[in-house]
Every structure is written in structure tokens, then in C-alpha cells.
Amino acid sequence: QVQLVESGGGLVQPGGSLRLSCAASGFYFSEYVTSWYRQAPGKERELVATISSAGSFTNYVDSVKGRFTISRHNALNTVYLQMNRLKPEDTAMYYCRALRGPERYWGKGTLVTVSS
């Protein structure tokens, strides 16, 4: 079965760091563009970062540029999101998505809470 499983979320203080991981199984992960989305309470789901299948291209929403880094290790079927200098506005459920043509797979999310 196809699965994307996020991990690494938790409670951190403003200015802290977290690294999220997304482990894929059941499909050819190395052929898929992968993204991180987030959804805060009462807000729409937002695209945060994207990485191409080989990892040569990345893109970020303006609010996280310079603070977040997306990367992948295809041999491990895993994509990461390193989050530094976290702000309360980053609080959200973070979701991993893999895409190839019409195929789209979603993880169930991991919660990030930034609060003092």
C-alpha cells in the first residue's frame, strides 16, 4: 500500500528548530516531486516548500525563505523539512505530499506548535 508518514513535530519555543521527516513506501518515490504543506487552525492549507524528484530544484513560500530547508534522500525514500528560527505563526499541522502527473499522495500530518 502507498504510504507517506510524517514525523518530527512537537512543541518548541519561538526561535527554536525542528526537523520534520516524511517516509514514503509503496511507490517509486524517486520519480515524484515532493512538497510540504501546512494548515493552521481556521486557515486554508498552504504550500510551504517543494523539491524536485532528483533534489536539484527547491521552492519556498516567502514567509519561510531563509528559515526552512527542504531536502530529500531518495535511497532512503525520505524527504525532510529543516525549520529554524521558528515563529508562533509557523504553528500548524504539516503534511507531506508526493506528485507525479495525475498521481497525488498525502500523509496524515505531524503537528508543530511554536509557543512560549
Side-chain angles (χ1 to χ4, degrees):
Q1 61 183 11
V2 170
Q3 285 196 116
L4 292 171
V5 180
E6 302 95 334
S7 62
L11 174 64
V12 297
Q13 295 189 24
S17 297
L18 284 174
R19 189 183 75 158
L20 306 184
S21 298
C22 174
S25 60
F27 65 102
Y28 293 114
F29 176 77
S30 63
E31 299 177 0
Y32 285 71
V33 174
T34 305
S35 298
W36 286 96
Y37 286 75
R38 66 186 181 187
Q39 188 166 25
K43 304 293 185 180
E44 295 185 356
R45 188 168 295 186
E46 174 188 38
L47 175 62
V48 177
T50 298
I51 187 166
S52 59
S53 58
S56 57
F57 168 84
T58 59
N59 185 252
Y60 303 89
V61 67
D62 285 345
S63 60
V64 309
K65 286 181 178 177
R67 299 189 298 120
F68 291 12
T69 302
I70 188 171
S71 61
R72 67 194 296 162
H73 196 318
N74 284 340
L76 299 178
N77 290 341
T78 304
V79 62
Y80 307 94
L81 185 68
Q82 178 66 47
M83 305 184 296
N84 298 325
R85 305 195 305 280
L86 283 160
K87 304 175 180 180
E89 307 92 90
D90 297 318
T91 295
M93 186 73 76
Y94 283 72
Y95 300 90
C96 179
R97 189 197 72 179
L99 180 151
R100 185 185 69 177
E103 301 175 23
R104 288 152 172 79
Y105 303 127
W106 288 90
K108 296 186 181 298
T110 185
L111 181 62
V112 172
T113 303
V114 185
S115 177
S116 58

